[in-house]
Amino acid sequence: MTTFVEIDHVDRVFDLPNNGKYIALKNIELKIRQGEFVSLIGHSGCGKSTLLNIIAGLDRASVGGVTLEGREVRDPSPDRMVVFQNYSLLPWLTVRENIALAVDEVYKGDSKGQRRAIIEEHIDMVGLRQAAKKRPSELSGGMKQRVAIARALATRPKLLLLDEPFGALDALTRGSLQEQLMKICNEHNVTCVMVTHDVDEALLLSDRIVMLTNGPEAHIGQILEVPIPRPRQRLEVVNHPSYYNLRNEIIYFLNQQKLAKKRQAAQSAKSAISDRRHGVEKLNLDIGFLPLTDSAPLIVAKEKGFFAQYGLENITLSRQTSWKEIAKGVATGKLDAAQMVAGMPLALTLGTGGKQPIPVVNALNLSRNANAITFSKRLYSQGVRNLADLKAVINANPDNILTLGVVHPAAMQNLILRYWLAAGGIDPDQDVCLTVLPPTEMVSQLKAGNIDGYCAGEPWNYRAVHEDVGFVAATALEIWSGQPKKVLGVREDWTQQYPQTYLALIKALLEACKYCDDLRNREEILEIICRPEYLDTNPVYVRPGFIDPYDRGDGSEPQSLIAYNQFYLNRTNYPHRTEILWMVTQLARWGLVPFPKNWVEVTERVCRTDVFGAAARDLGLLDIGEDNPIHLFDGKVFNPSEPLEYLKGLEIKRDIRIEEVIF
């Protein structure tokens, strides 16, 4: 079905009396099909009614917008009718007259007889024939709400909007009206969006349930499909095999949001104390990095004065020998922050390897792409050029197990290499042997014949090409263009202790990332990052893909890969929940962690879009990204609303465990 209603990256920001801003809704994106019934559910204050008012045209989005059948919603219109909780009937008019008020306004061009027929049809539709001449004071609460529904439907709207329409009614009346509404919607193919607090009501009426996180900056945390066929009867719904699982999932989400609200309140209290100090709280910072091309933003921020510009004048960049040392440094507090592989904050938060979970957050992606899969020249001589060739070599020599290097279990390089192999029918745990090595050792190990290939960042892929010991079989751009590569990892408790320092750190690095993606600066940056205290390497290894065309070492012409080293453009820096959730599925896919039952809470804690947004707004930059479905090279699409279904649908995987993460 085509999209009927589209909510396109909507923000709603309110001005406060103290000249501050309150962000009620953040980056709401939703597409609704014609005839679909969608419920919005979440705790009080999460912006459900605000969103409904924006769809109705009663309020305007601060950013983004809403379209109905391709036309932008800017003002109220009869094609969108709202039923409020408080009925909103005129007390001096009868049932018939209240309905006629709307019909006469919308159908001015119709004859009196035609308008009367519409009015009478809708009086019968809601079962109020005997009360047609009564005024609201003579009606029960349920009857008043039926008048409001009849009035809304009598204008024959394209979209019916319901704001807790049954919240004030007793259980019997509510049940009767729910069934009546369900019948009307089914018979007339009415498209509905309903705000509710009632889990059972949402399950009874909805095709999809959209669960909103707490405000401020409320966003869609999860969308639940209700696979119960229509037409529905209440008992059939309750007895459906999926009913209690769906109900438990909604209640679990709401309970997790309740816990998150308590945690947010505690953090806000700490931040309020810190804010009174004005400026950064910690002056001496030790930030870890590995000698890779994509450490450029950290190096540039120090060397070009961006750290100092934001009050961070005593920054030490500590070069580490491995990602294991980076993780240990942040976990123990030796490092204040660090350049991390994209999955490391998540892995530390989940407690991979049986370790104690340590919440580590990411509010900034430092780089994207610039990963590649490199194989030995021995495999090249055996005819390997691509994934299919590799599969053929493995099948031809099943006893000769190839060894491939990865830089860290939670690195995108490991997840992408595994995904690439599995897409070609190669089990990464059975058909090959994966071993963890620091990126600095990849070329020497390949040269020594200890490994047959690896997946790593630059300059270690091109270095193998330059030294004629390897060739590049696939780049990040071919597997998943735009994949996150390096992030800034910081312990959650550190950010709570030093919130202004953290914000200054994000702003300084955003400025540095922007500087790095101005190609006019690349020659200067190349000279800086290759210095002995940083990468300590010959610039010839860094130039390809950073400034010059990229030579894969496979006999093909060097390629101009402008987006290969990406630091700022195309919303590089926005930390996407969808991307983090995809990483969760891949870690669980290979048995590295159980899939967290509380995955919404986990992604919320790791992915600090609120901090990124605050920093971006201070700099006058766009403070949102696009949490769209992820498309990989094999044609599979990752839908963030159903991560477990996606995970179960993957052909090659380990046994999937599901556990709750206790922090």
Side-chain angles (χ1 to χ4, degrees):
M1 284 188 184
T2 57
T3 300
F4 185 62
V5 179
E6 181 170 5
I7 304 166
D8 186 14
H9 296 95
V10 160
D11 290 8
R12 183 63 176 99
V13 183
F14 294 96
D15 293 324
L16 298 175
N18 61 359
N19 294 323
K21 303 283 185 184
Y22 180 83
I23 304 172
L25 297 170
K26 189 69 182 172
N27 203 23
I28 303 291
E29 185 180 12
L30 182 66
K31 294 179 180 178
I32 300 171
R33 301 180 295 271
Q34 188 166 16
E36 190 175 21
F37 197 116
V38 173
S39 287
L40 307 176
I41 197 166
H43 291 296
S44 296
C46 73
K48 303 183 297 295
S49 294
T50 300
L51 180 56
L52 198 77
N53 287 339
I54 291 171
I55 299 170
L58 297 170
D59 192 10
R60 293 289 299 276
S62 306
V63 176
V66 177
T67 58
L68 174 62
E69 291 188 314
R71 299 182 64 180
E72 185 180 4
V73 172
R74 300 180 66 88
D75 301 294
S77 168
D79 61 6
R80 284 161 276 115
M81 292 299 289
V82 185
V83 177
F84 298 99
Q85 185 176 353
N86 62 357
Y87 321 128
S88 301
L89 303 179
L90 296 180
W92 59 88
L93 298 182
T94 65
V95 168
R96 180 177 285 110
E97 289 167 342
N98 266 287
I99 298 172
L101 191 68
V103 173
D104 290 343
E105 179 64 28
V106 174
Y107 296 105
K108 291 177 181 176
D110 289 8
S111 69
K112 190 173 181 179
Q114 289 173 318
R115 295 199 302 272
R116 187 186 302 116
I118 294 171
I119 295 164
E120 299 305 319
E121 174 192 350
H122 286 83
I123 288 173
D124 289 333
M125 186 184 289
V126 295
L128 287 175
R129 173 59 53 197
Q130 301 302 317
K133 296 180 180 180
K134 292 183 178 180
R135 291 183 173 82
S137 60
E138 302 173 87
L139 304 176
S140 68
M143 294 171 77
K144 291 176 188 175
Q145 197 62 288
R146 276 190 272 171
V147 178
I149 292 171
R151 182 179 58 188
L153 292 173
T155 64
R156 295 172 183 170
K158 295 177 179 178
L159 181 63
L160 181 63
L161 303 166
L162 306 157
D163 193 355
E164 296 193 64
F166 313 123
L169 305 178
D170 63 85
L172 286 176
T173 306
R174 183 165 61 245
S176 173
L177 269 182
Q178 287 167 349
E179 291 183 0
Q180 211 158 12
L181 176 64
M182 194 162 41
K183 182 180 178 183
I184 291 167
C185 289
N186 289 340
E187 290 178 356
H188 299 271
N189 196 35
V190 178
T191 307
C192 288
V193 178
M194 180 179 71
V195 166
T196 183
H197 280 101
D198 189 323
V199 172
D200 295 305
E201 178 175 87
L203 283 169
L204 176 67
L205 298 173
S206 308
D207 297 302
R208 283 189 298 163
I209 299 169
V210 177
M211 294 179 269
L212 295 175
T213 63
N214 300 324
E217 299 196 28
H219 55 271
I220 295 173
Q222 190 177 352
I223 300 176
L224 201 63
E225 300 273 352
V226 183
I228 301 175
R230 295 188 183 277
R232 294 176 184 169
Q233 297 294 327
R234 187 179 299 274
L235 283 177
E236 291 176 0
V237 170
V238 172
N239 291 324
H240 191 275
S242 300
Y243 177 78
Y244 283 102
N245 285 336
L246 293 169
R247 190 178 192 277
N248 289 339
E249 194 163 345
I250 298 169
I251 292 171
Y252 184 80
F253 174 89
L254 294 172
N255 285 338
Q256 290 298 314
Q257 290 303 302
K258 190 181 293 184
L259 292 173
K261 199 166 189 175
K262 291 180 181 177
R263 188 170 64 248
Q264 287 168 354
Q267 291 173 6
S268 296
K270 290 181 181 178
S271 296
I273 295 170
S274 180
D275 285 346
R276 297 189 197 112
R277 299 178 183 177
H278 303 291
V280 299
E281 307 90 349
K282 195 172 194 296
L283 300 177
N284 301 306
L285 299 184
D286 202 333
I287 302 176
F289 77 99
L290 253 60
L292 294 159
T293 306
D294 47 25
S295 60
L298 290 166
I299 298 167
V300 165
K302 181 176 174 64
E303 295 292 336
K304 298 301 293 183
F306 293 117
F307 283 139
Q309 181 181 331
Y310 289 96
L312 305 170
E313 297 183 0
N314 299 310
I315 299 289
T316 300
L317 295 182
S318 297
R319 191 170 72 181
Q320 306 293 306
T321 58
S322 68
W323 293 117
K324 183 179 179 181
E325 286 301 307
I326 288 278
K328 183 179 177 182
V330 171
T332 60
K334 178 185 174 183
L335 297 172
D336 294 287
Q339 169 200 28
M340 288 185 170
V341 290
M344 188 177 284
L346 178 65
L348 288 167
T349 300
L350 292 173
T352 56
K355 296 177 182 176
Q356 179 68 27
I358 300 172
V360 173
V361 302
N362 166 27
L364 184 74
N365 283 353
L366 293 168
S367 63
R368 292 182 182 272
N369 302 320
N371 289 322
I373 297 171
T374 295
F375 289 134
S376 67
K377 278 301 182 80
R378 182 181 64 80
L379 286 176
Y380 185 87
S381 67
Q382 291 179 286
V384 174
R385 300 293 184 275
N386 52 41
L387 183 56
D389 297 336
L390 182 68
K391 172 71 171 172
V393 166
I394 290 171
N395 289 344
N397 302 280
D399 295 329
N400 182 24
I401 302 296
L402 300 177
T403 300
L404 305 177
V406 294
V407 301
H408 189 271
M412 185 59 73
Q413 291 94 328
N414 180 40
L415 303 183
I416 283 294
L417 177 60
R418 285 174 171 273
Y419 191 97
W420 187 76
L421 292 169
I426 301 169
D427 190 313
D429 293 317
Q430 297 179 14
D431 299 331
V432 297
C433 174
L434 298 186
T435 185
V436 176
L437 295 168
T440 50
E441 294 183 18
M442 292 297 185
V443 176
S444 60
Q445 294 289 334
L446 189 70
K447 190 183 295 185
N450 295 328
I451 59 174
D452 301 284
Y454 55 82
C455 185
E458 298 299 343
W460 304 107
N461 298 292
Y462 180 71
R463 185 158 183 167
V465 172
H466 187 83
E467 296 185 12
D468 199 32
V469 295
F471 73 99
V472 173
T475 70
L477 295 173
E478 296 154 4
I479 301 170
W480 170 12
S481 182
Q483 64 182 252
K485 192 186 180 195
K486 299 300 186 301
V487 303
L488 183 72
V490 185
R491 278 179 64 132
E492 183 184 69
D493 56 1
W494 190 96
T495 70
Q496 294 166 3
Q497 189 174 0
Y498 309 116
Q500 298 307 309
T501 306
Y502 187 38
L503 188 63
L505 190 57
I506 299 299
K507 288 193 280 192
L509 287 169
L510 263 173
E511 297 268 33
C513 287
K514 187 176 182 181
Y515 191 89
C516 288
D517 248 5
D518 187 333
L519 299 183
R520 296 170 297 183
N521 300 327
R522 287 286 175 91
E523 290 286 356
E524 175 198 18
I525 294 168
L526 179 69
E527 184 277 324
I528 294 172
I529 66 176
C530 290
R531 291 174 185 171
E533 64 268 37
Y534 298 128
L535 270 63
D536 189 21
T537 191
N538 188 331
V540 71
Y541 300 132
V542 182
R543 294 189 68 90
F546 190 72
I547 295 174
D548 298 341
Y550 193 83
D551 183 359
R552 301 170 69 115
D554 61 357
S556 62
E557 287 294 316
Q559 299 170 286
S560 178
L561 303 179
I562 295 173
Y564 190 53
N565 283 282
Q566 190 170 299
F567 300 102
Y568 177 78
L569 298 176
N570 299 320
R571 303 181 184 179
T572 287
N573 309 114
Y574 183 80
H576 292 268
R577 296 183 190 88
T578 300
E579 293 170 352
I580 290 173
L581 184 55
W582 182 84
M583 293 180 223
V584 174
T585 66
Q586 298 309 300
L587 290 171
R589 176 185 188 179
W590 305 116
L592 299 173
V593 296
F595 185 85
K597 182 181 178 183
N598 51 332
W599 57 267
V600 174
E601 180 190 9
V602 169
T603 55
E604 291 284 325
R605 289 190 76 164
V606 172
C607 187
R608 293 301 300 272
T609 57
D610 57 331
V611 178
F612 174 85
R617 289 190 295 275
D618 281 355
L619 298 176
L621 304 175
L622 187 65
D623 63 341
I624 62 169
E626 296 182 5
D627 275 322
N628 292 328
I630 294 171
H631 299 259
L632 284 97
F633 77 104
D634 59 350
K636 284 189 169 59
V637 178
F638 173 60
N639 182 352
S641 295
E642 298 180 342
L644 270 173
E645 292 303 312
Y646 167 82
L647 190 49
K648 291 172 183 176
L650 297 170
E651 290 83 5
I652 300 177
K653 58 182 178 291
R654 309 284 78 87
D655 291 336
I656 306 302
R657 296 171 292 145
I658 302 173
E659 295 178 9
E660 182 170 0
V661 179
I662 307 298
F663 296 100

